[in-house]
Amino acid sequence: MMLQFLTICWLSLFHPFYVSVTEINHNAKNQSIEISCRMFYDDLERELNKTNHSQIDIVKPKDKTEVNRMITDYVKKHLTIKADGKILTLSFVGYEIQEDGAWSYFEVKGISKVKQLTVHDDLLYPAHPEQINMIHATVNGERKSTKLDNPEADASFSF
């Protein structure tokens, strides 16, 4: 039993996994929707460089404004959220690197209540056929989650 566990652990070192996490939170007090996306920063950086035909470093950027633009454009192209049938326009708040992850933050103001969220999330799908995207949505303290396996990219939550 222990040998099997050690073998699985050893093999996992040589078989990378690709997972992103998108958190969508309705903030009733501020009448906003707050979105955060976590991707492995090396995967995101590679995809940004490929998409923009550039060579940026998102951990220690020479031009933070340019990196902000690239992240904003990339996420907006690959993440679409509708609240009660209305497409939300994501406003970029910023990003930060935590350990091996890049967290990017967005906000949508003027959303007093939400009954349904529809999400299209194909972040990093072009880069990894085995990409998995986790989505967590919270409205009125009720949290719902789903997992999307590439190429599946659509999810819906009712509250």
Side-chain angles (χ1 to χ4, degrees):
M1 187 70 150
M2 185 62 147
L3 183 59
Q4 287 175 326
F5 175 74
L6 291 173
T7 302
I8 290 169
C9 289
W10 184 76
L11 288 174
S12 70
L13 292 173
F14 299 102
H15 187 269
F17 61 99
Y18 304 102
V19 179
S20 81
V21 177
T22 298
E23 296 267 354
I24 304 166
N25 181 49
H26 178 247
N27 185 327
K29 182 180 175 186
N30 295 339
Q31 295 190 359
S32 65
I33 292 183
E34 302 157 345
I35 301 109
S36 58
C37 301
R38 183 200 183 278
M39 295 169 266
F40 288 107
Y41 77 78
D42 57 337
D43 292 335
L44 176 60
E45 183 178 86
R46 220 176 354 267
E47 194 64 10
L48 293 176
N49 283 327
K50 180 180 164 191
T51 304
N52 294 284
H53 310 288
S54 62
Q55 202 56 39
I56 58 146
D57 179 344
I58 66 173
V59 177
K60 295 179 183 172
K62 292 178 185 169
D63 185 350
K64 180 92 173 185
T65 303
E66 182 64 8
V67 174
N68 288 344
R69 182 197 62 76
M70 288 179 178
I71 291 173
T72 301
D73 291 349
Y74 183 80
V75 171
K76 284 183 173 185
K77 181 178 178 186
H78 294 279
L79 179 67
T80 307
I81 303 170
K82 292 181 185 177
D84 299 326
K86 179 185 172 204
I87 294 178
L88 302 180
T89 302
L90 307 183
S91 297
F92 183 70
V93 175
Y95 84 93
E96 65 181 335
I97 304 297
Q98 290 182 358
E99 297 175 6
D100 57 356
W103 283 95
S104 54
Y105 304 103
F106 296 84
E107 183 179 45
V108 180
K109 295 183 179 183
I111 309 292
S112 58
K113 56 185 189 170
V114 175
K115 292 180 183 172
Q116 183 169 31
L117 288 170
T118 307
V119 181
H120 178 86
D121 179 354
D122 65 359
L123 292 166
L124 298 175
Y125 278 12
H128 304 295
E130 57 281 303
Q131 179 71 33
I132 296 168
N133 291 343
M134 300 293 300
I135 303 171
H136 306 293
T138 306
V139 174
N140 295 325
E142 184 180 357
R143 181 179 163 120
K144 296 188 176 185
S145 301
T146 195
K147 175 177 84 96
L148 301 173
D149 297 304
N150 190 353
E152 184 185 9
D154 298 310
S156 187
F157 305 94
S158 295
F159 298 92

